[in-house]
Amino acid sequence: MKNKKLQGNVRDAAFSILWAVENKQAYSNLLLHQIIENYGIAAKNRGLLTEITYGTLQHQMTLDYYLEPYLKGEIEPWVKTLLRLSLYQIVYLDRIPAHAVVHEAVEIAKRRGHGGVASVVNGVLRSVQRNGVRSFNTISDPYEKISIETSHPIWMIRRWAEQFGLEKTREMALENNKTPLQTVRVNTARATVEEVIEMLESEEVEAVSSKLIPECLVITNGQPARTATFEKGFITIQDESSMFPAYALQVKPGMTVLDMCAAPGGKTTHIAEKMNNNGTLYALDLHQHKVKLIDENAVRLGHSVIETIVGDGKQSVDRFGEEKFDRILVDAPCSGLGVIKRKPDIKYTKKEEDFARLQEIQIELLDQAARSLKQEGILIYSTCTVDAVENRGTAERFLKEHPEMEKIQVALPASLGIKYTGFVQVFPQDYGSDGFFIAAFKKSKKTAPA
């Protein structure tokens, strides 16, 4: 393939992102900003670029299923990427005329390949236009049908079906292909929710109060990250469900708190606000460049209570000593299957064998947290996944291995309507937010000697 890009062209830019994801295991969310700059994509076209890039990724397996009857013989992988991108627009976007999509695809094929490739692309897309796409009803296996319909690997569908049942699995997989809500958290140390809504409105960003979290706003129009309201530290970009841990921690001003896997600092800064910026809050993370992000967030928001440290949570006892903290948050490394809506690449890069390895890391972090926690202290374990092994499985194993810890009710806003005690699993379809898990533990007696 010739690397002849079409400067300023949205579809060619989308193709570049998709090809890098496919070919170099790059992450679409990290590439998007870079490609916008490289291509000089106009502000008015950035929404379309995001939509067609993420949409093609979200529906990749479905698009391949639709394309299959029209592909005769072997085609080069980059041509298939171009066909997916074009077919996504024809099938899923009704505001772009099909003939315009076909024309653009042919131009990209000519520039990056040759006349023969352009002819194949034109022929396939025109055939789809004439004959339409095939139904899922010919697929008899229920797991395979959901897999193809929602574009999730079949092992993932089987695994979720075993854990949650087929109906819940299909609901979740369909939800994962929707556009995620854009939410921000109001820095309540600086302004009220009402004041921030007015500030955003003055900058042509529309926001409404969340029905779940008092300090959360749902953005209905505009780009909050490009506002002075953001730059001056009145808001933070954060998903609604990742605001739950700061509630569950039940922090008070003057406490000594550890956020063990803290970057990029959304939860850390929320905890600081709940502490009224009074006490000691250590934010620990393994990577220097990620810790820098926490520092930048803390400065922007005006939180002086946060002390950042580059280090491994699995060595917390050596660093801090035993029984030092009133509260500890372990927002552990996980498979990330709750954030597929935001990062569709995850569906195709995760492997089933990842789960056992991840649980070992989660348990190591929780072991250290249990030893570092004061008596009567509270430990919160959270993940942004929906997998039962990493969530309930890890939490139950931790309790079994730590008799000094007891499971307690997860303290969350009453508006969530979660009445039961114990572990809280939020699915993407529950509130339209990310999938999330929270378990709360209290240290009821002294840690046994190691």
Side-chain angles (χ1 to χ4, degrees), residues 377-392:
I378 290 174
L379 163 61
I380 298 300
Y381 170 63
S382 65
T383 73
C384 60
T385 192
V386 292
D387 194 79
V389 169
E390 296 176 87
N391 292 343
R392 182 174 284 275

Side-chain angles (χ1 to χ4, degrees), residues 201-389:
E201 274 177 6
S202 74
E203 298 191 74
E204 298 183 343
V205 174
E206 293 168 19
V208 295
S209 289
S210 155
K211 293 184 172 68
L212 305 177
I213 304 277
E215 61 270 41
C216 177
L217 297 178
V218 179
I219 305 299
T220 53
N221 191 34
Q223 295 179 298
R226 295 174 176 271
T227 61
T229 309
F230 175 81
E231 281 171 27
K232 292 176 181 174
F234 291 102
I235 56 170
T236 292
I237 311 296
Q238 190 181 11
D239 183 72
E240 210 162 15
S241 54
S242 71
M243 298 181 201
F244 299 162
Y247 278 87
L249 267 179
Q250 302 179 60
V251 292
K252 294 185 177 69
M255 282 186 168
T256 304
V257 181
L258 172 63
D259 186 351
M260 198 183 266
C261 311
K267 297 177 190 71
T268 313
T269 53
H270 196 192
I271 294 163
E273 285 152 31
K274 294 284 182 202
M275 293 170 73
N276 291 341
N277 207 28
N278 175 359
T280 309
L281 172 54
Y282 292 101
L284 183 68
D285 206 89
L286 205 48
H287 305 287
Q288 175 73 56
H289 68 284
K290 289 187 175 180
V291 168
K292 192 171 167 236
L293 291 175
I294 307 171
D295 285 327
E296 286 167 3
N297 269 320
V299 169
R300 184 177 61 80
L301 294 162
H303 299 330
S304 56
V305 73
I306 298 166
E307 186 174 325
T308 56
I309 299 169
V310 179
D312 189 345
K314 298 199 289 289
Q315 292 157 8
S316 294
V317 175
D318 288 346
R319 181 179 292 276
F320 300 108
E322 305 238 352
E323 307 208 332
K324 295 292 180 188
F325 296 100
D326 300 294
R327 302 284 187 269
I328 298 177
L329 171 62
V330 178
D331 185 53
C334 69
S335 60
L337 298 184
V339 296
I340 287 173
K341 209 187 285 189
R342 290 174 201 283
K343 300 176 182 176
D345 337 26
I346 287 173
K347 292 192 283 193
Y348 316 116
T349 55
K350 290 296 171 193
K351 302 284 180 282
E352 201 157 8
E353 52 269 25
D354 294 342
F355 297 101
R357 177 184 57 81
L358 283 164
Q359 192 187 67
E360 292 310 314
I361 295 167
Q362 291 154 3
I363 288 290
E364 275 188 77
L365 291 167
L366 286 168
D367 285 344
Q368 290 285 303
R371 290 174 61 194
S372 303
L373 193 67
K374 292 177 183 176
Q375 270 187 273
E376 299 303 306
I378 290 174
L379 163 61
I380 298 300
Y381 170 63
S382 65
T383 73
C384 60
T385 192
V386 292
D387 194 79
V389 169

